Amino acid sequence: MVMTDSNNESKNGKDLPHQNHEEITHTSTPSVLSELQIHSTEVGEIAEMPNYEHLSTSAVLHYCKHKILRPYLRLLGVMGLRPTSSDETDHFSRYCILTNFHTFQVAVFMCIGYILQYMACFRRDRGFCYKLLPLELQIVPNVSKEWMHESVCFGNVIFSHIIPSLLHLIAYLYTVYLFRIKEHEQLQNLMERAFLLSSNPIHRGNQKKLVRILWLFIALSVVWMIVAFITVNIMMAQGVILFQWLEHSPYQVKIILKILLIVCTLWHDMVQGTIITSYCLQGQLLIAHLYFLRGKLLQHTLPPIDWMKEISEFKKLLKYFNNDLGPAVSIYTVINLSWATAGTIWLLQYNDDETENNPVTYIGIINVILWILISIVPFIQAARLTTACSMIQSIGHEVRIRPFVYESTPGEDLDTILLYTSSLKMCARLFRIPVTGRYLCLLLTVASITILTLGQCQIL
């Protein structure tokens, strides 16, 4: 009896620490989805170190929607690109009419901004540009005294205002058609697939890492918008702004026009920044999609035939990224590169006839840098996606030589994987041209050599 009691005590003594350890582990691992207050018993929880083998699909989808999808869809709704709610089913409902009216308001608001920019002689490449009439016109008897002191906009109206404004508006309307009519569920489909594939036992916390990266792109976009907004305000504070056809209007009207010009210009930047950010987000999701598929194939957590089906679905998403979303970003890239190039030429003071009236300032330099940054971001993201696609093309060789994971797999199946991955032809495209890192490095090298050569020849 004594020995039995002692054995029971020792046995209980061994069990208690184990039970306490399980209780501590269970209570110290907070659920990421606890704030969602999910009432369905089928929805699991994503913990800090969850059991990926039994992770609920519903929990992953709830996490995706709560952390990134719904907030970003609301942002697109504010820009008029999508309805503010994705639960709409009746296209002729009252809510649909309201959302369409909001999109119409955004388009009209943007057009008002284009008109105000022309009236104020505001160019996005350098700011407010005026020039006085030539002296030969001032001595003509038919010219009135008021006309002698009137300033006019510098530059060609068609190339400085009309064409950039039309391209800007066309890119917005095309994106509205793309997001709301043609492929209105593409972003949601891509994001959900990427999050489901991220439930990989070899990488812990993939969902949280992916969410942080996506929000980083959004945060950088917001920073760009804020800096652009500050730049426009400083440009307005540095000089006197004259609105054509309203030079003799009351002071209150001029103040309202100035405020409206600032707000409309900010709205232009927000629309463009949101669309380019959407391109970057989808590019990042495609990159994550490939890396998650790579991990599943290398660790043999997904059958090869299912892996090939996933690659086939990825090629459809990549086609949408290149052929549908790419043109809108390409249009904005054309505008931004033209503004960056024209602003750079102006900073180098090649326009001698306007240098005295529009001196180069640090605000002009910051303005040009902003256009350069937003121009190269899509190319960088496309080059990263192309690199990920190249990585998938060579994964068949890695699978073929792995000694332990695929040791029981027939050689014919491994050869099939090798042939399939080697025959893949996937890449990111802008302007229908493949974008790779080597091309970006080549362009950067050529630009650096050109600037260095011009400096040595004392042209700069």
Side-chain angles (χ1 to χ4, degrees):
M1 294 292 293
V2 175
M3 294 178 62
T4 304
D5 294 337
S6 62
N7 290 334
N8 292 334
E9 289 177 0
S10 61
K11 185 176 180 180
N12 294 333
K14 292 181 181 180
D15 293 339
L16 285 175
H18 181 69
Q19 295 175 358
N20 293 336
H21 177 72
E22 290 180 351
E23 293 175 359
I24 294 172
T25 304
H26 180 73
T27 56
S28 62
T29 307
S31 172
V32 181
L33 295 177
S34 58
E35 64 225 21
L36 295 181
Q37 297 179 354
I38 303 173
H39 299 287
S40 175
T41 58
E42 298 180 356
V43 177
E45 294 182 347
I46 299 180
E48 294 292 338
M49 297 184 64
N51 185 358
Y52 288 93
E53 296 180 356
H54 304 284
L55 187 61
S56 173
T57 299
S58 300
V60 176
L61 294 179
H62 274 83
Y63 182 77
C64 167
K65 292 180 180 180
H66 176 75
K67 290 296 182 180
I68 183 66
L69 183 58
R70 288 178 180 174
Y72 190 69
L73 289 181
R74 292 191 186 100
L75 176 61
L76 294 180
V78 172
M79 297 294 105
L81 298 173
R82 284 181 59 94
T84 55
S85 175
S86 60
D87 299 330
E88 178 186 8
T89 57
D90 186 6
H91 293 280
F92 299 97
S93 62
R94 181 181 303 177
Y95 178 77
C96 181
I97 296 176
L98 292 177
T99 55
N100 292 332
F101 180 72
H102 175 66
T103 302
F104 175 76
Q105 282 183 317
V106 172
V108 172
F109 195 65
M110 293 175 63
C111 293
I112 293 175
Y114 302 142
I115 297 174
L116 289 177
Q117 288 177 3
Y118 171 70
M119 292 176 60
C121 301
F122 180 68
R123 296 176 51 169
R124 299 309 308 269
D125 58 333
R126 66 195 71 179
F128 297 92
C129 295
Y130 304 97
K131 70 174 182 178
L132 298 175
L133 289 176
L135 184 62
E136 290 80 10
L137 294 179
Q138 295 182 9
I139 62 177
V140 177
N142 295 332
V143 179
S144 61
K145 187 175 182 180
E146 294 181 356
W147 180 258
M148 292 173 57
H149 302 283
E150 187 177 4
S151 299
V152 295
C153 297
F154 176 83
N156 191 297
V157 176
I158 296 178
F159 292 99
S160 300
H161 295 279
I162 297 179
I163 294 180
S165 300
L166 285 177
L167 291 177
H168 195 281
L169 182 62
I170 289 172
Y172 171 74
L173 295 178
Y174 171 76
T175 309
V176 171
Y177 163 76
L178 190 65
F179 283 4
R180 301 189 61 173
I181 300 176
K182 186 176 182 180
E183 297 287 350
H184 62 283
E185 296 295 336
Q186 189 72 21
L187 176 61
Q188 181 175 351
N189 181 30
L190 173 58
M191 194 170 294
E192 290 178 352
R193 292 182 66 88
F195 271 83
L196 289 176
L197 287 174
S198 64
S199 303
N200 197 330
I202 63 173
H203 296 294
R204 301 303 176 93
N206 279 327
Q207 290 92 358
K208 296 181 65 176
K209 181 180 179 180
L210 182 58
V211 166
R212 286 196 296 265
I213 294 176
L214 297 179
W215 277 112
L216 176 62
F217 280 104
I218 298 176
L220 292 177
S221 175
V222 172
V223 171
W224 185 89
M225 297 175 193
I226 293 175
V227 176
F229 175 72
I230 296 174
T231 301
V232 173
N233 279 273
I234 295 178
M235 287 179 178
M236 293 190 64
Q238 286 181 343
V240 179
I241 302 175
L242 302 176
F243 289 92
Q244 296 187 61
W245 314 307
L246 296 175
E247 295 87 350
H248 306 289
S249 58
Y251 177 77
Q252 293 79 3
V253 175
K254 295 181 179 180
I255 293 297
I256 294 175
L257 291 177
K258 291 180 181 179
I259 296 175
L260 193 59
L261 174 61
I262 294 176
V263 175
C264 291
T265 303
L266 174 63
W267 195 263
H268 292 168
D269 295 338
M270 291 175 61
V271 167
Q272 180 181 182
T274 302
I275 294 174
I276 294 180
T277 302
S278 180
Y279 179 86
C280 294
L281 291 182
Q282 295 197 32
Q284 185 62 39
L285 288 170
L286 290 173
I287 294 172
H289 196 287
L290 287 179
Y291 277 99
F292 294 150
L293 285 178
R294 177 181 182 272
K296 287 182 177 295
L297 183 63
L298 291 179
Q299 298 300 323
H300 206 188
T301 57
L302 188 67
I305 186 63
D306 293 337
W307 188 86
M308 294 178 186
K309 292 180 181 179
E310 291 292 340
I311 289 294
S312 179
E313 293 295 329
F314 171 83
K315 292 173 69 175
K316 296 178 182 179
L317 299 173
L318 180 62
K319 182 179 179 181
Y320 166 82
F321 182 78
N322 290 332
N323 299 339
D324 295 333
L325 187 58
V329 178
S330 299
I331 294 175
Y332 281 120
T333 302
V334 169
I335 303 172
N336 297 334
L337 285 176
S338 66
W339 286 337
T341 305
T344 302
I345 294 174
W346 173 69
L347 290 178
L348 299 178
Q349 299 184 356
Y350 282 113
N351 297 327
D352 296 331
D353 54 345
E354 63 159 343
T355 302
E356 296 181 358
N357 297 328
N358 299 278
V360 177
T361 61
Y362 69 95
I363 290 299
I365 297 175
I366 295 176
N367 183 62
V368 171
I369 292 175
L370 288 175
W371 295 125
I372 293 176
L373 291 176
I374 200 173
S375 299
I376 65 175
V377 164
F379 290 97
I380 295 176
Q381 194 69 346
R384 294 180 64 238
L385 179 55
T386 301
T387 302
C389 293
S390 301
M391 174 265 301
I392 289 295
Q393 293 175 356
S394 61
I395 194 176
H397 298 276
E398 299 182 42
V399 171
R400 193 67 178 86
I401 62 177
R402 294 182 73 85
F404 302 110
V405 180
Y406 286 90
E407 59 181 358
S408 60
T409 305
E412 293 79 6
D413 295 344
L414 297 179
D415 292 337
T416 302
I417 298 175
L418 176 60
L419 291 175
Y420 178 79
T421 56
S422 301
S423 62
L424 290 174
K425 295 181 180 180
M426 303 183 300
C427 64
R429 297 174 181 269
L430 278 174
F431 303 99
R432 300 290 182 175
I433 299 175
V435 181
T436 60
R438 66 172 72 96
Y439 292 157
L440 294 182
C441 293
L442 177 61
L443 292 176
L444 180 61
T445 302
V446 171
S448 301
I449 294 175
T450 303
I451 295 175
L452 182 60
T453 304
L454 294 177
Q456 292 174 351
C457 297
Q458 298 182 355
I459 297 179
L460 297 182

